[in-house]
Amino acid sequence: MTTAAIPAGVRGPADRVPVPADRTPAPTGREKKALGEKKPFDEKKPGDEKKPLDLPPLIALSLGYFLVMLDVTVVNVAIPDIRASLGTGPSALQWIVDGYSTVFAALLLLGGGLADRFGHRRVFLAGLGLFTTASVACGLATTSGLLIGGRLAQGAGAALLVPASLALLQATFPDRAVRARAIAVWGAVASVAFGAGPAVGGLLVSGSDWRSVFWLNLPFGALAVLLTLRHIPSAAPRPRTRKTDPVGQTLAVIGLVGVAGGLNEAGSHGWTSPLVLSVLGVGTAALAAFALMERTLESRSARGRTRRDPLLRPSMFRSRAFTATTVIGMLISLGYYGMLFLATLYLQQERHFSALGTGLALLPSVCMGLAAAPLFSRVAARTGPYVPMAAGLVLGAVGFLGWLLAGPGTPYPVLLFALIATGLGQTMTALAAVAAVVEAASTADAGIATAVLNVSRQVGSAVGVALFGTFTATADDFTSGLRLSAGIAAATFAIGALLALSIRRRAREAQA
């Protein structure tokens, strides 16, 4: 994403992500006046003027995330046609679907670090260019191998543009109230893309062929590039007096590929599979080595014994707000996406819904961004992110309990509360988590901070799908596993709510 100071949320000194003195010089008086002093969230006074959103840059940034989220689900509907057209086997089909998300998760930290180092706008454009070019490669693919390669490249492009887009939101909308509305729009667009993916894919495949789901990305990608070039200014180049961290970058990629890939395989091969255990073992070892390397490198850098900066500074996790929000991001993805996976299986296997019928039945949940976005922006502008975050988590926890009523013959209207409450609660919490991390991060660390949040969400989603899939596979019947998973999902959201309330209390005490 870009560079600019932003107003801080409600937090004490311990909640701010620590910033090395040599990386972020103190702003001058003129800069403070131009950028606005940081001040805590407070109650909005009656008479405060509502500032307008600058739409062109917001559309550009939202379109980038729109493409990323659309391609998570739009390809699934095209899988039968891809198999028939290219003669693709089951293993290759799985890589076409999961390879994208695996590479996306694996390269997020690297993408965030590159954005902070080389400029958020530059890396955002590079990610858009790579994603759009990879979509062309997918559309032209004549073999399974070429299509898989294109999907992996799409994941790499997504990993570059997502952290950069959030950092650009931080810089483009420095006013806290305006930024809350901008994040709400950004998140609502992504929610619509994710929910509409199956329906859009079905329409494109039925009206043309499977290649059209990739050609769809071209006009959106081109428009996002054009709007970015015209309406998002390039920040002044940062002096590159420090060296990069190639060892840390390599260990992070290996570790995240191993963990994400192992979790993806656990759902189909089982947790005790030698392949799954080996991949998870390598990933865990690499991440442990990465953490040790980054801690050592940061310590040496602080003492002036090296000019090399760590990819991810462990001191960032001294911020209670940042650490707790990252954990909350993992918890909501574990609970929500794990249950969304089971809800899809429940509707198709237990209720015998068609693929299109299942997609339509899930719309009340996956499209809740349209309702959550305006609600979040109104509340967050007045209270900060933690009030809507806690409210969303409580609502989601109650919603998951509604799945305890699910059975082979449960009428669909009975499940509507569970679908709506969990979708609204998850989206409200996700938007609040993004806002909280953007508020807690310094400009110098905006890219890597948002990348950490996205990594935690990707890992949480993979854990939820694999874990809940195991519960249903080993239970006496599907609905028993579904109810157990719903109880665990409710518990993860309840734990998240306690964390959010704890951060909010500490922030109010620090402000007092």
PDB file of all heavy atoms in Angstrom, residues 196-228:
ATOM      1  N   ALA A 196     -20.576 -13.721  -4.879  1.00  0.00           N
ATOM      2  CA  ALA A 196     -21.107 -13.817  -6.242  1.00  0.00           C
ATOM      3  C   ALA A 196     -20.276 -14.716  -7.146  1.00  0.00           C
ATOM      4  O   ALA A 196     -20.715 -15.036  -8.257  1.00  0.00           O
ATOM      5  CB  ALA A 196     -21.189 -12.419  -6.857  1.00  0.00           C
ATOM      6  N   GLY A 197     -19.096 -15.123  -6.682  1.00  0.00           N
ATOM      7  CA  GLY A 197     -18.209 -15.926  -7.517  1.00  0.00           C
ATOM      8  C   GLY A 197     -18.860 -17.148  -8.153  1.00  0.00           C
ATOM      9  O   GLY A 197     -18.798 -17.323  -9.382  1.00  0.00           O
ATOM     10  N   PRO A 198     -19.516 -18.014  -7.380  1.00  0.00           N
ATOM     11  CA  PRO A 198     -20.148 -19.197  -7.979  1.00  0.00           C
ATOM     12  C   PRO A 198     -21.221 -18.847  -9.000  1.00  0.00           C
ATOM     13  O   PRO A 198     -21.302 -19.475 -10.066  1.00  0.00           O
ATOM     14  CB  PRO A 198     -20.742 -19.930  -6.768  1.00  0.00           C
ATOM     15  CG  PRO A 198     -19.908 -19.493  -5.612  1.00  0.00           C
ATOM     16  CD  PRO A 198     -19.556 -18.073  -5.904  1.00  0.00           C
ATOM     17  N   ALA A 199     -22.049 -17.838  -8.701  1.00  0.00           N
ATOM     18  CA  ALA A 199     -23.105 -17.464  -9.648  1.00  0.00           C
ATOM     19  C   ALA A 199     -22.519 -16.869 -10.923  1.00  0.00           C
ATOM     20  O   ALA A 199     -22.941 -17.203 -12.042  1.00  0.00           O
ATOM     21  CB  ALA A 199     -24.059 -16.464  -8.991  1.00  0.00           C
ATOM     22  N   VAL A 200     -21.521 -15.987 -10.772  1.00  0.00           N
ATOM     23  CA  VAL A 200     -20.874 -15.392 -11.941  1.00  0.00           C
ATOM     24  C   VAL A 200     -20.184 -16.458 -12.772  1.00  0.00           C
ATOM     25  O   VAL A 200     -20.283 -16.473 -14.009  1.00  0.00           O
ATOM     26  CB  VAL A 200     -19.863 -14.309 -11.498  1.00  0.00           C
ATOM     27  CG1 VAL A 200     -19.014 -13.836 -12.675  1.00  0.00           C
ATOM     28  CG2 VAL A 200     -20.586 -13.132 -10.860  1.00  0.00           C
ATOM     29  N   GLY A 201     -19.491 -17.375 -12.090  1.00  0.00           N
ATOM     30  CA  GLY A 201     -18.821 -18.455 -12.807  1.00  0.00           C
ATOM     31  C   GLY A 201     -19.803 -19.324 -13.568  1.00  0.00           C
ATOM     32  O   GLY A 201     -19.548 -19.697 -14.725  1.00  0.00           O
ATOM     33  N   GLY A 202     -20.942 -19.624 -12.940  1.00  0.00           N
ATOM     34  CA  GLY A 202     -21.943 -20.448 -13.614  1.00  0.00           C
ATOM     35  C   GLY A 202     -22.499 -19.774 -14.851  1.00  0.00           C
ATOM     36  O   GLY A 202     -22.669 -20.407 -15.904  1.00  0.00           O
ATOM     37  N   LEU A 203     -22.766 -18.466 -14.758  1.00  0.00           N
ATOM     38  CA  LEU A 203     -23.287 -17.731 -15.914  1.00  0.00           C
ATOM     39  C   LEU A 203     -22.269 -17.683 -17.046  1.00  0.00           C
ATOM     40  O   LEU A 203     -22.611 -17.861 -18.226  1.00  0.00           O
ATOM     41  CB  LEU A 203     -23.668 -16.305 -15.497  1.00  0.00           C
ATOM     42  CG  LEU A 203     -24.895 -16.172 -14.590  1.00  0.00           C
ATOM     43  CD1 LEU A 203     -25.051 -14.733 -14.114  1.00  0.00           C
ATOM     44  CD2 LEU A 203     -26.157 -16.621 -15.334  1.00  0.00           C
ATOM     45  N   LEU A 204     -21.012 -17.446 -16.711  1.00  0.00           N
ATOM     46  CA  LEU A 204     -19.983 -17.358 -17.740  1.00  0.00           C
ATOM     47  C   LEU A 204     -19.747 -18.703 -18.426  1.00  0.00           C
ATOM     48  O   LEU A 204     -19.612 -18.779 -19.653  1.00  0.00           O
ATOM     49  CB  LEU A 204     -18.676 -16.844 -17.129  1.00  0.00           C
ATOM     50  CG  LEU A 204     -18.665 -15.381 -16.690  1.00  0.00           C
ATOM     51  CD1 LEU A 204     -17.385 -15.050 -15.945  1.00  0.00           C
ATOM     52  CD2 LEU A 204     -18.812 -14.463 -17.901  1.00  0.00           C
ATOM     53  N   VAL A 205     -19.686 -19.756 -17.624  1.00  0.00           N
ATOM     54  CA  VAL A 205     -19.434 -21.077 -18.198  1.00  0.00           C
ATOM     55  C   VAL A 205     -20.603 -21.522 -19.072  1.00  0.00           C
ATOM     56  O   VAL A 205     -20.416 -22.067 -20.169  1.00  0.00           O
ATOM     57  CB  VAL A 205     -19.172 -22.110 -17.077  1.00  0.00           C
ATOM     58  CG1 VAL A 205     -19.126 -23.522 -17.650  1.00  0.00           C
ATOM     59  CG2 VAL A 205     -17.862 -21.788 -16.365  1.00  0.00           C
ATOM     60  N   SER A 206     -21.830 -21.266 -18.624  1.00  0.00           N
ATOM     61  CA  SER A 206     -22.989 -21.675 -19.412  1.00  0.00           C
ATOM     62  C   SER A 206     -23.149 -20.830 -20.670  1.00  0.00           C
ATOM     63  O   SER A 206     -23.608 -21.306 -21.707  1.00  0.00           O
ATOM     64  CB  SER A 206     -24.266 -21.582 -18.566  1.00  0.00           C
ATOM     65  OG  SER A 206     -24.484 -20.247 -18.142  1.00  0.00           O
ATOM     66  N   GLY A 207     -22.738 -19.550 -20.609  1.00  0.00           N
ATOM     67  CA  GLY A 207     -22.873 -18.683 -21.762  1.00  0.00           C
ATOM     68  C   GLY A 207     -21.719 -18.752 -22.730  1.00  0.00           C
ATOM     69  O   GLY A 207     -21.858 -18.404 -23.903  1.00  0.00           O
ATOM     70  N   SER A 208     -20.551 -19.199 -22.253  1.00  0.00           N
ATOM     71  CA  SER A 208     -19.372 -19.286 -23.120  1.00  0.00           C
ATOM     72  C   SER A 208     -18.640 -20.591 -22.824  1.00  0.00           C
ATOM     73  O   SER A 208     -19.120 -21.668 -23.168  1.00  0.00           O
ATOM     74  CB  SER A 208     -18.471 -18.063 -22.877  1.00  0.00           C
ATOM     75  OG  SER A 208     -17.317 -18.118 -23.677  1.00  0.00           O
ATOM     76  N   ASP A 209     -17.475 -20.512 -22.172  1.00  0.00           N
ATOM     77  CA  ASP A 209     -16.759 -21.712 -21.728  1.00  0.00           C
ATOM     78  C   ASP A 209     -15.943 -21.356 -20.493  1.00  0.00           C
ATOM     79  O   ASP A 209     -16.000 -20.234 -19.995  1.00  0.00           O
ATOM     80  CB  ASP A 209     -15.865 -22.284 -22.840  1.00  0.00           C
ATOM     81  CG  ASP A 209     -14.735 -21.342 -23.236  1.00  0.00           C
ATOM     82  OD1 ASP A 209     -14.595 -20.284 -22.591  1.00  0.00           O
ATOM     83  OD2 ASP A 209     -13.998 -21.654 -24.184  1.00  0.00           O
ATOM     84  N   TRP A 210     -15.168 -22.304 -19.979  1.00  0.00           N
ATOM     85  CA  TRP A 210     -14.468 -22.098 -18.723  1.00  0.00           C
ATOM     86  C   TRP A 210     -13.408 -20.996 -18.809  1.00  0.00           C
ATOM     87  O   TRP A 210     -13.060 -20.372 -17.801  1.00  0.00           O
ATOM     88  CB  TRP A 210     -13.812 -23.388 -18.253  1.00  0.00           C
ATOM     89  CG  TRP A 210     -12.738 -23.944 -19.149  1.00  0.00           C
ATOM     90  CD1 TRP A 210     -12.897 -24.867 -20.139  1.00  0.00           C
ATOM     91  CD2 TRP A 210     -11.348 -23.611 -19.140  1.00  0.00           C
ATOM     92  NE1 TRP A 210     -11.700 -25.137 -20.759  1.00  0.00           N
ATOM     93  CE2 TRP A 210     -10.720 -24.384 -20.154  1.00  0.00           C
ATOM     94  CE3 TRP A 210     -10.550 -22.762 -18.393  1.00  0.00           C
ATOM     95  CZ2 TRP A 210      -9.362 -24.323 -20.429  1.00  0.00           C
ATOM     96  CZ3 TRP A 210      -9.191 -22.678 -18.659  1.00  0.00           C
ATOM     97  CH2 TRP A 210      -8.603 -23.457 -19.658  1.00  0.00           C
ATOM     98  N   ARG A 211     -12.895 -20.728 -20.002  1.00  0.00           N
ATOM     99  CA  ARG A 211     -11.855 -19.697 -20.136  1.00  0.00           C
ATOM    100  C   ARG A 211     -12.394 -18.303 -19.809  1.00  0.00           C
ATOM    101  O   ARG A 211     -11.630 -17.404 -19.415  1.00  0.00           O
ATOM    102  CB  ARG A 211     -11.275 -19.723 -21.547  1.00  0.00           C
ATOM    103  CG  ARG A 211     -10.606 -21.050 -21.902  1.00  0.00           C
ATOM    104  CD  ARG A 211     -10.074 -21.067 -23.325  1.00  0.00           C
ATOM    105  NE  ARG A 211      -9.655 -22.410 -23.697  1.00  0.00           N
ATOM    106  CZ  ARG A 211      -8.472 -22.928 -23.407  1.00  0.00           C
ATOM    107  NH1 ARG A 211      -7.582 -22.189 -22.759  1.00  0.00           N
ATOM    108  NH2 ARG A 211      -8.158 -24.158 -23.773  1.00  0.00           N
ATOM    109  N   SER A 212     -13.694 -18.116 -19.959  1.00  0.00           N
ATOM    110  CA  SER A 212     -14.274 -16.795 -19.730  1.00  0.00           C
ATOM    111  C   SER A 212     -14.158 -16.347 -18.277  1.00  0.00           C
ATOM    112  O   SER A 212     -14.170 -15.147 -17.998  1.00  0.00           O
ATOM    113  CB  SER A 212     -15.738 -16.787 -20.164  1.00  0.00           C
ATOM    114  OG  SER A 212     -16.487 -17.747 -19.444  1.00  0.00           O
ATOM    115  N   VAL A 213     -14.032 -17.297 -17.329  1.00  0.00           N
ATOM    116  CA  VAL A 213     -13.894 -16.886 -15.931  1.00  0.00           C
ATOM    117  C   VAL A 213     -12.556 -16.188 -15.692  1.00  0.00           C
ATOM    118  O   VAL A 213     -12.407 -15.421 -14.735  1.00  0.00           O
ATOM    119  CB  VAL A 213     -14.058 -18.085 -14.963  1.00  0.00           C
ATOM    120  CG1 VAL A 213     -15.389 -18.764 -15.149  1.00  0.00           C
ATOM    121  CG2 VAL A 213     -12.917 -19.070 -15.092  1.00  0.00           C
ATOM    122  N   PHE A 214     -11.575 -16.445 -16.560  1.00  0.00           N
ATOM    123  CA  PHE A 214     -10.292 -15.763 -16.455  1.00  0.00           C
ATOM    124  C   PHE A 214     -10.260 -14.485 -17.289  1.00  0.00           C
ATOM    125  O   PHE A 214      -9.646 -13.494 -16.891  1.00  0.00           O
ATOM    126  CB  PHE A 214      -9.160 -16.705 -16.874  1.00  0.00           C
ATOM    127  CG  PHE A 214      -9.039 -17.921 -16.002  1.00  0.00           C
ATOM    128  CD1 PHE A 214      -9.416 -19.182 -16.459  1.00  0.00           C
ATOM    129  CD2 PHE A 214      -8.582 -17.816 -14.703  1.00  0.00           C
ATOM    130  CE1 PHE A 214      -9.323 -20.303 -15.660  1.00  0.00           C
ATOM    131  CE2 PHE A 214      -8.483 -18.929 -13.883  1.00  0.00           C
ATOM    132  CZ  PHE A 214      -8.854 -20.177 -14.365  1.00  0.00           C
ATOM    133  N   TRP A 215     -10.921 -14.495 -18.455  1.00  0.00           N
ATOM    134  CA  TRP A 215     -10.980 -13.274 -19.264  1.00  0.00           C
ATOM    135  C   TRP A 215     -11.706 -12.155 -18.523  1.00  0.00           C
ATOM    136  O   TRP A 215     -11.452 -10.970 -18.768  1.00  0.00           O
ATOM    137  CB  TRP A 215     -11.681 -13.539 -20.598  1.00  0.00           C
ATOM    138  CG  TRP A 215     -11.007 -14.527 -21.501  1.00  0.00           C
ATOM    139  CD1 TRP A 215     -11.557 -15.628 -22.070  1.00  0.00           C
ATOM    140  CD2 TRP A 215      -9.647 -14.498 -21.968  1.00  0.00           C
ATOM    141  NE1 TRP A 215     -10.642 -16.302 -22.852  1.00  0.00           N
ATOM    142  CE2 TRP A 215      -9.454 -15.630 -22.807  1.00  0.00           C
ATOM    143  CE3 TRP A 215      -8.575 -13.646 -21.751  1.00  0.00           C
ATOM    144  CZ2 TRP A 215      -8.245 -15.913 -23.418  1.00  0.00           C
ATOM    145  CZ3 TRP A 215      -7.361 -13.928 -22.353  1.00  0.00           C
ATOM    146  CH2 TRP A 215      -7.202 -15.039 -23.172  1.00  0.00           C
ATOM    147  N   LEU A 216     -12.597 -12.512 -17.614  1.00  0.00           N
ATOM    148  CA  LEU A 216     -13.339 -11.514 -16.853  1.00  0.00           C
ATOM    149  C   LEU A 216     -12.408 -10.583 -16.085  1.00  0.00           C
ATOM    150  O   LEU A 216     -12.733  -9.412 -15.857  1.00  0.00           O
ATOM    151  CB  LEU A 216     -14.292 -12.220 -15.873  1.00  0.00           C
ATOM    152  CG  LEU A 216     -15.102 -11.345 -14.921  1.00  0.00           C
ATOM    153  CD1 LEU A 216     -16.101 -10.497 -15.705  1.00  0.00           C
ATOM    154  CD2 LEU A 216     -15.828 -12.205 -13.892  1.00  0.00           C
ATOM    155  N   ASN A 217     -11.238 -11.089 -15.682  1.00  0.00           N
ATOM    156  CA  ASN A 217     -10.320 -10.284 -14.874  1.00  0.00           C
ATOM    157  C   ASN A 217      -9.668  -9.147 -15.657  1.00  0.00           C
ATOM    158  O   ASN A 217      -9.218  -8.161 -15.055  1.00  0.00           O
ATOM    159  CB  ASN A 217      -9.214 -11.178 -14.295  1.00  0.00           C
ATOM    160  CG  ASN A 217      -9.745 -12.205 -13.326  1.00  0.00           C
ATOM    161  OD1 ASN A 217     -10.766 -11.981 -12.685  1.00  0.00           O
ATOM    162  ND2 ASN A 217      -9.076 -13.339 -13.216  1.00  0.00           N
ATOM    163  N   LEU A 218      -9.607  -9.264 -16.983  1.00  0.00           N
ATOM    164  CA  LEU A 218      -8.852  -8.289 -17.763  1.00  0.00           C
ATOM    165  C   LEU A 218      -9.405  -6.866 -17.684  1.00  0.00           C
ATOM    166  O   LEU A 218      -8.654  -5.931 -17.362  1.00  0.00           O
ATOM    167  CB  LEU A 218      -8.756  -8.738 -19.225  1.00  0.00           C
ATOM    168  CG  LEU A 218      -7.557  -9.622 -19.583  1.00  0.00           C
ATOM    169  CD1 LEU A 218      -7.577 -10.923 -18.801  1.00  0.00           C
ATOM    170  CD2 LEU A 218      -7.518  -9.901 -21.076  1.00  0.00           C
ATOM    171  N   PRO A 219     -10.700  -6.640 -17.961  1.00  0.00           N
ATOM    172  CA  PRO A 219     -11.192  -5.257 -17.886  1.00  0.00           C
ATOM    173  C   PRO A 219     -11.112  -4.672 -16.482  1.00  0.00           C
ATOM    174  O   PRO A 219     -10.787  -3.488 -16.322  1.00  0.00           O
ATOM    175  CB  PRO A 219     -12.643  -5.373 -18.373  1.00  0.00           C
ATOM    176  CG  PRO A 219     -13.017  -6.807 -18.224  1.00  0.00           C
ATOM    177  CD  PRO A 219     -11.748  -7.575 -18.434  1.00  0.00           C
ATOM    178  N   PHE A 220     -11.382  -5.484 -15.468  1.00  0.00           N
ATOM    179  CA  PHE A 220     -11.296  -4.977 -14.098  1.00  0.00           C
ATOM    180  C   PHE A 220      -9.852  -4.637 -13.731  1.00  0.00           C
ATOM    181  O   PHE A 220      -9.574  -3.617 -13.091  1.00  0.00           O
ATOM    182  CB  PHE A 220     -11.865  -5.998 -13.112  1.00  0.00           C
ATOM    183  CG  PHE A 220     -13.355  -6.156 -13.191  1.00  0.00           C
ATOM    184  CD1 PHE A 220     -13.916  -7.326 -13.673  1.00  0.00           C
ATOM    185  CD2 PHE A 220     -14.205  -5.136 -12.794  1.00  0.00           C
ATOM    186  CE1 PHE A 220     -15.292  -7.482 -13.756  1.00  0.00           C
ATOM    187  CE2 PHE A 220     -15.579  -5.273 -12.863  1.00  0.00           C
ATOM    188  CZ  PHE A 220     -16.125  -6.452 -13.353  1.00  0.00           C
ATOM    189  N   GLY A 221      -8.922  -5.507 -14.107  1.00  0.00           N
ATOM    190  CA  GLY A 221      -7.511  -5.247 -13.828  1.00  0.00           C
ATOM    191  C   GLY A 221      -7.015  -4.000 -14.540  1.00  0.00           C
ATOM    192  O   GLY A 221      -6.301  -3.166 -13.964  1.00  0.00           O
ATOM    193  N   ALA A 222      -7.395  -3.840 -15.810  1.00  0.00           N
ATOM    194  CA  ALA A 222      -6.972  -2.659 -16.573  1.00  0.00           C
ATOM    195  C   ALA A 222      -7.538  -1.381 -15.974  1.00  0.00           C
ATOM    196  O   ALA A 222      -6.836  -0.361 -15.869  1.00  0.00           O
ATOM    197  CB  ALA A 222      -7.410  -2.813 -18.031  1.00  0.00           C
ATOM    198  N   LEU A 223      -8.808  -1.418 -15.551  1.00  0.00           N
ATOM    199  CA  LEU A 223      -9.427  -0.236 -14.941  1.00  0.00           C
ATOM    200  C   LEU A 223      -8.740   0.115 -13.620  1.00  0.00           C
ATOM    201  O   LEU A 223      -8.498   1.300 -13.331  1.00  0.00           O
ATOM    202  CB  LEU A 223     -10.915  -0.489 -14.712  1.00  0.00           C
ATOM    203  CG  LEU A 223     -11.708   0.647 -14.056  1.00  0.00           C
ATOM    204  CD1 LEU A 223     -11.621   1.919 -14.897  1.00  0.00           C
ATOM    205  CD2 LEU A 223     -13.163   0.229 -13.842  1.00  0.00           C
ATOM    206  N   ALA A 224      -8.406  -0.897 -12.829  1.00  0.00           N
ATOM    207  CA  ALA A 224      -7.725  -0.646 -11.554  1.00  0.00           C
ATOM    208  C   ALA A 224      -6.357  -0.010 -11.791  1.00  0.00           C
ATOM    209  O   ALA A 224      -5.954   0.922 -11.071  1.00  0.00           O
ATOM    210  CB  ALA A 224      -7.577  -1.952 -10.777  1.00  0.00           C
ATOM    211  N   VAL A 225      -5.613  -0.482 -12.793  1.00  0.00           N
ATOM    212  CA  VAL A 225      -4.303   0.095 -13.108  1.00  0.00           C
ATOM    213  C   VAL A 225      -4.455   1.551 -13.544  1.00  0.00           C
ATOM    214  O   VAL A 225      -3.711   2.438 -13.086  1.00  0.00           O
ATOM    215  CB  VAL A 225      -3.601  -0.729 -14.209  1.00  0.00           C
ATOM    216  CG1 VAL A 225      -2.373   0.014 -14.732  1.00  0.00           C
ATOM    217  CG2 VAL A 225      -3.197  -2.092 -13.677  1.00  0.00           C
ATOM    218  N   LEU A 226      -5.422   1.819 -14.410  1.00  0.00           N
ATOM    219  CA  LEU A 226      -5.632   3.177 -14.915  1.00  0.00           C
ATOM    220  C   LEU A 226      -5.988   4.139 -13.780  1.00  0.00           C
ATOM    221  O   LEU A 226      -5.422   5.246 -13.680  1.00  0.00           O
ATOM    222  CB  LEU A 226      -6.740   3.166 -15.969  1.00  0.00           C
ATOM    223  CG  LEU A 226      -7.119   4.526 -16.574  1.00  0.00           C
ATOM    224  CD1 LEU A 226      -5.936   5.118 -17.324  1.00  0.00           C
ATOM    225  CD2 LEU A 226      -8.323   4.384 -17.510  1.00  0.00           C
ATOM    226  N   LEU A 227      -6.910   3.734 -12.918  1.00  0.00           N
ATOM    227  CA  LEU A 227      -7.321   4.597 -11.808  1.00  0.00           C
ATOM    228  C   LEU A 227      -6.173   4.823 -10.825  1.00  0.00           C
ATOM    229  O   LEU A 227      -6.025   5.920 -10.266  1.00  0.00           O
ATOM    230  CB  LEU A 227      -8.525   3.989 -11.089  1.00  0.00           C
ATOM    231  CG  LEU A 227      -9.851   3.999 -11.864  1.00  0.00           C
ATOM    232  CD1 LEU A 227     -10.921   3.230 -11.089  1.00  0.00           C
ATOM    233  CD2 LEU A 227     -10.320   5.429 -12.120  1.00  0.00           C
ATOM    234  N   THR A 228      -5.365   3.788 -10.599  1.00  0.00           N
ATOM    235  CA  THR A 228      -4.223   3.924  -9.693  1.00  0.00           C
ATOM    236  C   THR A 228      -3.214   4.921 -10.244  1.00  0.00           C
ATOM    237  O   THR A 228      -2.712   5.798  -9.516  1.00  0.00           O
ATOM    238  CB  THR A 228      -3.547   2.556  -9.481  1.00  0.00           C
ATOM    239  OG1 THR A 228      -4.489   1.643  -8.927  1.00  0.00           O
ATOM    240  CG2 THR A 228      -2.368   2.678  -8.524  1.00  0.00           C
TER     241      THR A 228
END
